[in-house]
Amino acid sequence: MTMSRTGTRLVVGMVAALATTGSAALVVTGAQAAAPGCRVDYRITNQWSGGFGADVTVTNLGDPLNGWTLTWTYAAGQTVTQAWNATVTQSGNRVTATNVSYNGALGTGAGTSFGFNGSWSGSNPAPTSFALNGVTCTGAPSTPAPTTPAPTTPAPSPTSPPPTSGWNPPANLVTPLNQVWQHVEQTYNNGNLYGFRNYGWDQVMANRGYLNFCVRWDSSATVTSTQRDQIHATLARQYKKWMDVMVGHNAWPYRDVPVRVVGWAVRDRNQLQWSDNSVDIYVNNIRENAPQCSEPCGRFFNQNGQYPNCPGGAARHYDQSLWLTDGFGGGAGGDWGQRMGREYFMSNLNTENMHILLHEIGHTFGLDDFYDWTPSGVGGFLMRAGSATSITEFDAWMFRDWWRHLKSRYGY
């Protein structure tokens, strides 16, 4: 099912020092409600001279919504230049973001996210107020007065840390986890696992908490704007399954890791049936007999984290590629991204667990294949291709083990 990857184990000639770029992430939690409550998390994910990137998460705390519009006002003249996962317009300082076709329904307690790039001059303060469907957000639903007194006995304090707060795997997984780590230390990068500097971990930390993607459309099929947005949403949803494994664990610094698609590569521009500028488009730049986004913008080709020759600048760089190929069987993954059949991906856009993609993302972060051996005491798991279709407890702890061994290189 899965082809061997070319990044984490085999690439040894492009080791470079890790450079962090941008500014520290800013999270502003405000109110936002529809009927009658909502919450907005506005986060600046990257900032450079004259420009910035941001992610916005909208959580509906009121009645279910079938379509939403979020508005806010900038105080310092910032301008939104492009957006994804929402239609964003601006009139003066007032910004309006409206759902797209696949994220308009928000049940009570449900949330959705969108992102954008913008420009600024002088200062870049976060908005102080948001409104959802015309109602100012307060961050919490209205609450009726209680009909009975609240209990006066406090809840007992926990006597042990939560299971994901540190390196404390279940006892039955300690031995197989040690076997796996010993194996990767001996076999990766000619026995120099720690010398390689382009694991998925390195990319997330260099960006300070996000990942940019290029889609290599290795196909003669056309793509509508709706399909484009669905591909982005599916990629982000599957990536989130791995990133959620890390939340609250062992000093992992991010609550979420947004995934953006910043570029598309095709042989013929007419295949892409949209005219907006939400993504950069690269036409007939062929590498490995497939369309390729601009190499000066790719981290695989610029592992020092600098992109001086990228046409869109550092903000438009891509860390990985999603390479979708007509008739391709199985999958491949590495520090460069993930590859699989275009037909498989498009037919599984709404699948809860796209297991080939999940498996290949595992490789991007260093997880091994298990074709010729199985650790003691474990059976089916995602990284043993064909034996599981979702991330298992053993997969999760193997993933966390990589962070345990690499986090010191990032100062954690």
Side-chain angles (χ1 to χ4, degrees):
M1 176 183 297
T2 304
M3 297 176 62
S4 61
R5 63 203 180 284
T6 59
T8 54
R9 181 178 296 181
L10 303 181
V11 176
V12 296
M14 298 186 70
V15 177
L18 181 68
T20 57
T21 60
S23 64
L26 169 67
V27 178
V28 176
T29 301
Q32 83 276 30
C38 58
R39 185 180 68 250
V40 168
D41 298 311
Y42 178 101
R43 185 171 72 139
I44 296 173
T45 56
N46 193 18
Q47 184 167 297
W48 59 98
S49 178
F52 70 101
D55 283 289
V56 181
T57 299
V58 184
T59 303
N60 176 31
L61 303 178
D63 296 336
L65 299 177
N66 187 18
W68 54 266
T69 296
L70 183 72
T71 56
W72 69 88
T73 300
Y74 279 126
Q78 301 100 313
T79 301
V80 175
T81 56
Q82 65 174 164
W84 47 93
N85 286 348
T87 300
V88 180
T89 58
Q90 185 166 352
S91 177
N93 289 334
R94 181 179 173 83
V95 181
T96 301
T98 304
N99 66 274
V100 289
S101 60
Y102 53 83
N103 65 1
L106 290 180
T108 302
T112 190
S113 298
F114 62 92
F116 62 88
N117 287 330
S119 61
W120 65 283
S121 177
S123 63
N124 186 22
T128 58
S129 178
F130 298 86
L132 186 65
N133 289 1
V135 178
T136 300
C137 296
T138 62
S142 58
T143 304
T147 57
T148 58
T152 58
T153 302
S157 300
T159 57
S160 60
T164 60
S165 64
W167 181 250
N168 50 0
N172 65 303
L173 297 183
V174 171
T175 294
L177 287 169
N178 288 338
Q179 291 173 348
V180 169
W181 195 254
Q182 182 181 28
H183 177 76
V184 298
E185 280 190 320
Q186 293 172 348
T187 61
Y188 274 35
N189 199 23
N190 295 325
N192 185 19
L193 177 152
Y194 300 98
F196 189 76
R197 292 277 175 163
N198 200 36
Y199 300 110
W201 309 100
D202 296 309
Q203 298 170 18
V204 171
M205 300 305 291
N207 292 335
R208 297 187 178 179
Y210 70 90
L211 289 168
N212 283 354
F213 263 81
C214 158
V215 175
R216 302 180 69 180
W217 191 249
D218 192 8
S219 170
S220 59
T222 58
V223 189
T224 67
S225 60
T226 297
Q227 289 173 320
R228 173 200 66 193
D229 294 342
Q230 289 173 329
I231 290 168
H232 180 181
T234 298
L235 177 64
R237 188 173 64 251
Q238 299 301 311
Y239 239 95
K240 187 175 186 297
K241 291 179 181 294
W242 277 116
M243 295 295 96
D244 283 350
V245 164
M246 297 304 303
V247 175
H249 173 74
N250 204 6
W252 175 249
Y254 302 112
R255 180 175 58 85
D256 62 346
V257 177
V259 169
R260 311 165 179 166
V261 174
V262 299
W264 273 68
V266 291
R267 286 186 169 86
D268 184 347
R269 176 62 180 85
N270 292 326
Q271 292 177 258
L272 306 181
Q273 299 179 344
W274 66 82
S275 58
D276 62 70
N277 63 351
S278 60
V279 295
D280 296 327
I281 297 172
Y282 302 92
V283 178
N284 209 30
N285 178 9
I286 305 301
R287 180 183 174 88
E288 301 161 310
N289 197 34
Q292 169 71 56
C293 287
S294 173
E295 293 179 18
C297 298
R299 181 176 168 88
F300 183 84
F301 309 102
N302 302 272
Q303 294 186 22
N304 62 0
Q306 305 297 314
Y307 307 93
N309 299 314
C310 178
R316 309 296 296 164
H317 86 279
Y318 61 96
D319 302 289
Q320 300 171 36
S321 293
L322 176 65
W323 185 356
L324 303 178
T325 302
D326 278 352
F328 190 80
D335 61 311
W336 47 267
Q338 303 84 40
R339 185 185 188 187
M340 66 210 67
R342 191 267 308 176
E343 300 89 343
Y344 166 80
F345 192 97
M346 297 304 292
S347 64
N348 285 278
L349 290 173
N350 297 314
T351 300
E352 175 64 24
N353 291 288
M354 190 181 289
H355 67 276
I356 293 179
L357 177 56
L358 287 171
H359 180 104
E360 304 311 336
I361 293 171
H363 287 326
T364 299
F365 283 81
L367 298 188
D368 203 1
D369 270 321
F370 293 86
Y371 291 125
D372 53 353
W373 74 289
T374 303
S376 300
V378 292
F381 52 97
L382 181 71
M383 297 311 298
R384 185 183 180 194
S387 66
T389 58
S390 61
I391 298 170
T392 68
E393 184 178 42
F394 186 58
D395 293 302
W397 281 103
M398 284 195 296
F399 196 72
R400 292 166 179 155
D401 207 7
W402 274 85
W403 171 249
R404 177 169 73 114
H405 286 91
L406 292 187
K407 68 176 186 173
S408 61
R409 70 165 60 169
Y410 317 116
Y412 292 92

